[in-house]
Amino acid sequence: QVQLVESGGGSVQAGGTLTLSCTTSGITFSTYWMAWFRQAPGKEREGVAAIYYNGNTVFYTDSVKGRFTISRDNAKSTLILQMNSLAPEDTAMYYCAGRSIYRTGTWNNPRDYTSWGQGTQVTVSS
């Protein structure tokens, strides 16, 4: 049974910090692209960051570059998103997603990911 479970969301003031975690089971985590997506009310799901199976390749959407850091621990099958200098526009539901490295796709296309968590809410107030 595939499970991706996000945690670490919450409410913070602008400029604050949050660390999201995604613990996984039922997938071969060490052979998966992993990514964080977010979706604000009324908006499309947006790719935030992605990381290759070995951590050697990472992608970020422009709006979070320099503020967010994606990382992974293959020994613990866990994905992390460190979020610094949070801004109100970062408010959204954040989702963990994964796909096998043998499956072609684009890092920020949600349709290319096969495994998803239920999401964790991040709210940033000004």
Side-chain angles (χ1 to χ4, degrees):
Q1 181 181 0
V2 176
Q3 283 193 316
L4 283 68
V5 180
E6 301 93 339
S7 61
S11 297
V12 297
Q13 291 191 328
T17 295
L18 284 174
T19 302
L20 304 185
S21 297
C22 173
T23 57
T24 73
S25 60
I27 63 172
T28 308
F29 185 83
S30 61
T31 65
Y32 265 54
W33 271 101
M34 296 299 298
W36 289 97
F37 286 80
R38 65 186 179 187
Q39 189 166 19
K43 294 189 176 181
E44 292 186 351
R45 192 164 293 192
E46 171 192 29
V48 175
I51 185 167
Y52 198 39
Y53 78 101
N54 58 8
N56 285 353
T57 301
V58 295
F59 295 101
Y60 296 96
T61 192
D62 286 347
S63 63
V64 309
K65 286 179 181 177
R67 300 188 299 122
F68 291 9
T69 302
I70 189 171
S71 61
R72 63 190 297 158
D73 185 338
N74 285 351
K76 297 181 179 179
S77 298
T78 298
L79 180 71
I80 302 292
L81 185 68
Q82 175 70 38
M83 304 188 296
N84 299 327
S85 302
L86 282 161
E89 51 266 35
D90 295 317
T91 295
M93 185 71 78
Y94 282 70
Y95 298 90
C96 170
R99 74 166 194 265
S100 169
I101 58 173
Y102 304 110
R103 180 185 176 96
T104 59
T106 305
W107 79 266
N108 58 352
N109 185 348
R111 292 184 293 275
D112 291 337
Y113 288 80
T114 57
S115 302
W116 289 87
Q118 294 300 307
T120 186
Q121 178 67 37
V122 172
T123 303
V124 185
S125 58
S126 58

